[in-house]
Amino acid sequence: MTTPDDRDAGAENAANRANAAGDPAGDPAEQQPVTFHAAFAQAARNAGIAQVTPGETPTGSSLLKAIGGVRGLIESILPGLAFLVIFTFTKNLVLSVTAPVALSVVFVIVRLVSRSAVMPAIAGLLGVGVSAGLALFTGRAEDNFVLGIVINIVCLVVLLVSLIVRRPLIGVIVGLLVNDPAGYRTDRAKGRVVLVATWCWVGLFATRLAFEVPLYLAAQTELLGSVKLILGVPLYAGMLWVTWLLVRAAYSKTRPTASAEPS
């Protein structure tokens, strides 16, 4: 006679065999297609602003985490600094653009060896590599900064479009983080805050372009490299801090709900 224990054991063994065979019915969540909303929400959670829950007080450690920690800080600053120092003293274009590429390769290897997230270093390597390729192709050192200028233009355009269509990008990101996508549209206080925060980011990218584009056109490579370093991570970190403080004022009573379904 089959006992309940025998039936339970049989069911458990069948489930284990199904999982081992990769039975798609074993995990319904894996069958769900990734929607644009879900992908954008994940991107928002990976953004720097997501390192502090809206409503919480930002700290120095959370700010450092938002810019990638000490390792991220080094990987962001060192390639640009290497280019600036080498080009200033040698005026050797090949050496100036290949040294940052070599550094970026080292960063990737270190992350692989230490089994840490490698995508940030790969993204940095791609950016440095494309910039170096442009400069070597044209023979102009200032073209090492073209990619950065283009990225700033794209970010500025995206922010301005979000304002024109009345969907401020900061509001969209924060709404996804707190599972309240329409909050900034229904609450006037939240709407004003995310509007101001979005305009602040518009100011950041506009400031970068206002300084960098004239220097690029004038072929002032050394000065352009210095300005890029100053207006890079330090300005980005400062803007994150301001954004956190603004958002905290309006979302202090809002907390993210992990079980909430996206609408």
Side-chain angles (χ1 to χ4, degrees):
M1 178 180 295
T2 303
T3 66
D5 289 341
D6 293 333
R7 288 194 294 271
D8 292 343
E12 181 178 354
N13 290 334
N16 290 336
R17 287 194 298 273
N19 290 334
D23 186 356
D27 189 356
E30 293 182 358
Q31 301 182 63
Q32 297 178 359
V34 178
T35 64
F36 175 79
H37 184 282
F40 194 83
Q42 184 59 47
R45 286 189 287 272
N46 292 336
I49 192 175
Q51 303 307 322
V52 172
T53 301
E56 293 183 357
T57 303
T59 63
S61 60
S62 60
L63 180 62
L64 183 61
K65 183 180 178 182
I67 57 179
V70 175
R71 175 182 290 179
L73 195 61
I74 293 173
E75 291 175 353
S76 298
I77 294 177
L78 200 54
L81 183 61
F83 171 86
L84 178 61
V85 171
I86 294 173
F87 186 78
T88 298
F89 286 100
T90 69
K91 296 297 186 295
N92 186 316
L93 176 60
V94 175
L95 181 60
S96 299
V97 298
T98 54
V101 173
L103 279 172
S104 297
V105 171
V106 171
F107 295 152
V108 172
I109 294 174
V110 169
R111 282 180 176 267
L112 286 172
V113 172
S114 61
R115 298 181 181 275
S116 56
V118 73
M119 283 310 299
I122 291 178
L125 174 59
L126 288 175
V128 171
V130 171
S131 297
L134 286 171
L136 291 174
F137 179 76
T138 63
R140 302 193 312 167
E142 62 268 25
D143 285 341
N144 186 62
F145 301 98
V146 168
L147 180 62
I149 291 174
V150 171
I151 290 174
N152 284 319
I153 291 173
V154 171
C155 292
L156 179 60
V157 170
V158 169
L159 286 163
L160 289 174
V161 170
S162 76
L163 289 167
I164 291 172
V165 300
R166 299 185 177 182
R167 295 293 187 272
L169 186 58
I170 299 302
V172 175
I173 293 174
V174 174
L176 289 171
L177 292 177
V178 300
N179 293 316
D180 184 19
Y184 70 94
R185 300 200 299 268
T186 58
D187 186 312
R188 293 184 63 184
K190 294 178 181 178
R192 286 194 297 268
V193 163
V194 298
L195 182 64
V196 170
T198 303
W199 275 112
C200 285
W201 284 96
V202 167
L204 179 146
F205 292 110
T207 299
R208 286 179 177 176
L209 292 171
F211 281 94
E212 293 177 11
V213 171
L215 291 173
Y216 168 77
L217 295 176
Q220 296 291 324
T221 304
E222 295 94 331
L223 191 53
L224 177 56
S226 302
V227 168
K228 185 175 176 62
L229 286 174
I230 295 171
L231 299 181
V233 174
L235 188 59
Y236 172 76
M239 190 57 63
L240 273 180
W241 191 273
V242 170
T243 304
W244 283 338
L245 294 178
L246 286 171
V247 169
R248 178 174 179 260
Y251 286 83
S252 57
K253 296 182 180 179
T254 304
R255 292 291 185 273
T257 305
S259 60
E261 294 292 335
S263 56

